Amino acid sequence: IVEVPLGNSGVAGYAIDIEDQEEARAELERFGRAQRDMLGRLSAGVAQFARDRSLTFFNQPFARLFSLPADFLADRPEFDRLIDAMRDAGNLPEVRDFPEWKNEHRAWFTSGLSADEEDWLLPGGKHLRVVAQPLPDGGLRLFLEDRTEQVRLASARDTLLRVRAATFDNLFEAIGVFASDGRLNLWNNRFRELWDFEEEQLAAHPRVDVMTGHIARKLKNPNHAGIVRELVRSATVERKQRSGRVSLTSARNFEFAAVPLPDGNALFTMLDVTDSRKIET
């Protein structure tokens, strides 16, 4: 309501209906509270900065990730001041030129609406995935996910795979592991060399029935290629262990076996028994 004095003539007044404006403001405030409540429940660290680059929101995972006091964060520190505090706590990547690094990351505020993503390796061995999302009002929101455990597990898995591959390749037997659908999952070099496969062929994880035609060319009796297929099917589907012998065109003799594995796969092995066969005869 606005009243305007008109001198001796009296007072003029007028009113403007701002109900829609007030409802919009209240709705925006409710939306902001709901968003902050949602971000506060995330397991990832979240920090939000205003257009003037002061910290306007953070959740507890963010404070824990960087070991920052709650009263310091509640004081709405500016972006540069916060970065300095994170570095003093040993919770930033080690870089040769820190002022230049900090200047590059100020650009997060002005990089348009496309998010920037980085992986940070901290001095204590912690791995963080960092996503910086510029906001339409000129602010910035950071998401920081602690991926230390995932990286550790992935590294342990890679080590196990390398150990397994090295173990397989040093066995005397030719070994192939077939999945429950008949596809070749794993193999060692002896398996590949025995059947004269190219690495690219096996890398496509062919089904055993597709491999049968290639296997037949290496067997003294090509019809025995079907035995290999049946043994793999018996081990994967019927969960039965079977074995036998085959002779190759190279005059080598092999004992083979298909053994069911606990995970539903089947282990197919071939052992060269040519020398022992000669002794027997």
Side-chain angles (χ1 to χ4, degrees):
I1 298 174
V2 180
E3 294 181 341
V4 181
L6 299 179
N8 296 330
S9 299
V11 177
Y14 62 92
I16 302 174
D17 186 351
I18 60 171
E19 182 176 356
D20 291 343
Q21 179 180 336
E22 289 299 312
E23 288 182 355
R25 181 183 292 110
E27 180 64 26
L28 181 61
E29 290 177 355
R30 287 194 295 270
F31 174 77
R33 287 195 299 268
Q35 187 179 60
R36 286 192 294 271
D37 183 61
M38 177 194 68
L39 295 175
R41 296 175 183 272
L42 295 179
S43 59
V46 181
Q48 186 165 318
F49 299 85
R51 187 174 185 177
D52 63 359
R53 302 189 180 181
S54 63
L55 182 69
T56 57
F57 171 82
F58 67 92
N59 63 0
Q60 289 306 310
F62 176 84
R64 287 195 299 269
L65 273 176
F66 296 102
S67 304
L68 296 172
D71 55 348
F72 168 76
L73 296 174
D75 196 35
R76 296 169 61 99
E78 195 266 342
F79 179 78
D80 279 19
R81 184 182 168 206
L82 180 64
I83 291 293
D84 289 338
M86 292 161 65
R87 188 194 186 205
D88 292 341
N91 285 319
L92 281 185
E94 292 182 338
V95 294
R96 179 173 300 177
D97 189 344
F98 178 68
E100 177 62 24
W101 184 91
K102 186 165 61 173
N103 186 54
E104 290 174 358
H105 287 76
R106 289 193 195 101
W108 277 345
F109 285 87
T110 57
S111 59
L113 294 180
S114 60
D116 290 298
E117 184 172 338
E118 295 182 359
D119 290 312
W120 288 1
L121 174 59
L122 306 189
K126 185 182 295 183
H127 292 257
L128 297 182
R129 174 175 173 263
V130 182
V131 178
Q133 176 64 63
L135 301 176
D137 62 358
L140 177 72
R141 183 178 294 146
L142 296 180
F143 296 91
L144 304 105
E145 179 187 8
D146 188 348
R147 305 191 69 183
T148 307
E149 186 65 15
Q150 293 95 316
V151 171
R152 187 188 67 79
L153 291 175
S155 177
R157 178 179 178 274
D158 290 343
T159 300
L160 287 174
L161 290 176
R162 288 194 296 269
V163 170
R164 182 178 66 183
T167 302
F168 272 24
D169 285 338
N170 283 283
L171 294 175
F172 291 106
E173 297 93 337
I175 292 179
V177 177
F178 291 86
S180 57
D181 62 356
R183 290 187 178 276
L184 181 68
N185 270 351
L186 301 170
W187 61 94
N188 63 358
N189 284 331
R190 292 184 186 275
F191 182 91
R192 180 181 59 81
E193 293 167 357
L194 175 65
W195 299 116
D196 197 23
F197 279 107
E198 296 293 333
E199 188 67 32
E200 292 76 13
Q201 292 176 279
L202 300 184
H205 302 287
R207 290 174 57 91
V208 65
D209 50 356
V210 174
M211 299 169 64
T212 303
H214 186 97
I215 290 173
R217 294 197 294 267
K218 302 292 293 182
L219 295 174
K220 188 174 182 180
N221 184 347
N223 293 329
H224 287 169
I227 299 176
V228 175
R229 181 183 64 245
E230 286 305 311
L231 260 66
V232 171
R233 187 194 65 80
S234 180
T236 54
V237 178
E238 300 175 7
R239 312 301 295 159
K240 294 181 180 179
Q241 179 174 336
R242 295 176 59 186
S243 60
R245 282 189 177 185
V246 291
S247 298
L248 272 61
T249 54
S250 61
R252 308 294 294 179
N253 298 296
F254 288 84
E255 284 187 351
F256 60 84
V259 182
L261 296 177
D263 57 1
N265 294 343
L267 175 67
F268 185 81
T269 66
M270 295 188 67
L271 179 64
D272 190 339
V273 294
T274 305
D275 294 337
S276 60
R277 192 91 179 268
K278 290 178 180 179
I279 295 174
E280 291 174 2
T281 57

